[in-house]
Amino acid sequence: MTEVIALKKASTEYVRVYNNDQVEWLMETVLKNRFLPCPEPESIFVGDGSYQAVGAEFLGHFIRKGGLEKTSRVLDIGCGIGRMAVPLTQYLDFEKGSYCGIDPVAGGIDWCNQKLSPIYSNFEFRHVDIAHNLYNPKGAIDGLELVLPYEGNQFDFIIMTSVVTHLPDEEVSAYLREVERLLAPGGRLFMTAFVADKVAQENVAKKRDARLGFQRYDNGPCWFVPELPPLAAVGFDDGFLDRAITGAGLNTVLKSFGHWRGISSDHYQDLFVAEKDGIR
């Protein structure tokens, strides 16, 4: 079974959105829809796995674990080349729901603006020139000074999938402070990560992803994979992300460990759902 730490019961407002059968039907429909745009394989820079299958999987997680509603105003930080955006076009209400995607890689944003925005007018994409050693080394915006181009309190749901897995600890805190500014009261953050806890490190069952032999970097909370560039995969001490979320003014409502660490789980990376105080 998935190892889940539930820290706050989801409200009935979230639970009633879709029942499990409806979510499964939606995911299957998205996966089989051959008319949904899909980039050429050589253009995909957002990680392993099938573009369509991973997107459909996360749509289910957003709804069931994150409480995403059809009328939510969504911000996708690190949207890449639209892997999360494409399935969301089939769920968010065309008139009441909305999606904003940002990424430092201009090519991914260009593809989304060509393939998605002309068809789905409630979806918009922006290139934000954030510096990153791997993805955008010549970027003009220092991640430690991040201020995204949106007014505060305007998003109900913020996505950060495979973002903090490529950030140093100081930038994680900067991003989370910005998330808190942008979330409306009662809004939620959905974030994936690698938590380098005792289970992941000892790997007793020898089932941990062999590519992720994390080792600690100096005395800080970061863990890197020696064979990879430092920001190719970043893990954190268990408790660091919990404290960073709290320090940003958010409340963790779900912490669920993924199967990268060698346990049974319905998702690969570890994930966190956090909420901003207030009533939606």
Side-chain angles (χ1 to χ4, degrees):
M1 294 178 64
T2 304
E3 186 174 357
V4 178
I5 303 171
L7 300 172
K8 183 178 178 183
K9 187 177 180 180
S11 69
T12 54
E13 178 182 7
Y14 293 122
V15 173
R16 70 171 182 242
V17 179
Y18 262 30
N19 65 38
N20 193 57
D21 288 342
Q22 289 174 311
V23 175
E24 289 294 333
W25 172 85
L26 177 63
M27 293 167 61
E28 190 69 19
T29 300
V30 166
L31 186 59
K32 292 181 176 179
N33 188 342
R34 61 188 178 88
F35 296 105
L36 291 177
C38 180
E40 295 298 321
E42 62 271 17
S43 300
I44 299 173
F45 57 91
V46 290
D48 297 337
S50 162
Y51 180 92
Q52 298 95 329
V54 172
E57 174 194 333
F58 270 91
L59 176 60
H61 294 330
F62 295 152
I63 298 169
R64 290 188 286 212
K65 300 181 188 298
L68 178 68
E69 299 180 29
K70 295 173 70 67
T71 57
S72 292
R73 298 165 296 173
V74 176
L75 173 64
D76 189 357
I77 297 175
C79 67
I81 196 164
R83 186 164 63 174
M84 304 301 160
V86 170
L88 284 169
T89 63
Q90 305 303 293
Y91 177 70
L92 293 177
D93 185 273
F94 190 76
E95 295 182 353
K96 297 180 180 180
S98 63
Y99 172 100
C100 297
I102 65 166
D103 202 89
V105 180
I109 295 297
D110 290 343
W111 184 88
C112 292
N113 277 324
Q114 292 170 13
K115 301 295 184 179
L116 297 177
S117 294
I119 303 169
Y120 304 98
S121 60
N122 56 334
F123 278 64
E124 68 169 49
F125 300 87
R126 295 191 191 187
H127 174 238
V128 180
D129 196 22
I130 307 169
H132 189 279
N133 287 351
L134 286 181
Y135 294 106
N136 193 31
K138 297 182 179 180
I141 301 171
D142 186 337
L144 292 173
E145 301 173 357
L146 183 66
V147 178
L148 295 175
Y150 302 102
E151 297 295 325
N153 303 313
Q154 69 166 288
F155 294 103
D156 303 307
F157 197 85
I158 295 182
I159 298 168
M160 289 177 63
T161 56
S162 296
V163 174
V164 303
T165 55
H166 303 293
L167 294 179
D169 53 304
E170 300 92 341
E171 289 193 29
V172 170
S173 297
Y175 274 67
L176 289 175
R177 288 193 296 270
E178 190 65 354
V179 166
E180 193 279 335
R181 180 183 74 83
L182 294 172
L183 277 175
R188 288 191 163 192
L189 165 68
F190 185 105
M191 179 177 77
T192 67
F194 293 121
V195 177
D197 65 355
K198 185 177 180 180
V199 172
Q201 289 308 308
E202 293 185 350
N203 190 26
V204 174
K206 305 300 181 187
K207 293 182 179 180
R208 187 190 65 204
D209 189 330
R211 299 169 298 175
L212 296 175
F214 285 113
Q215 294 184 15
R216 181 184 291 281
Y217 178 76
D218 63 37
N219 293 319
C222 294
W223 296 70
F224 300 136
V225 180
E227 296 80 12
L228 300 176
L231 297 183
V234 183
F236 295 99
D237 283 340
D238 192 13
F240 168 76
L241 292 170
D242 311 69
R243 293 189 294 273
I245 287 169
T246 301
L250 302 171
N251 305 305
T252 301
V253 298
L254 179 72
K255 179 180 179 180
S256 180
F257 292 132
H259 63 75
W260 76 273
R261 62 182 53 244
I263 65 171
S264 177
S265 176
D266 65 355
H267 52 92
Y268 176 72
Q269 293 183 5
D270 307 318
L271 66 84
F272 292 78
V273 177
E275 189 173 82
K276 184 172 179 176
D277 285 336
I279 299 174
R280 296 179 64 176

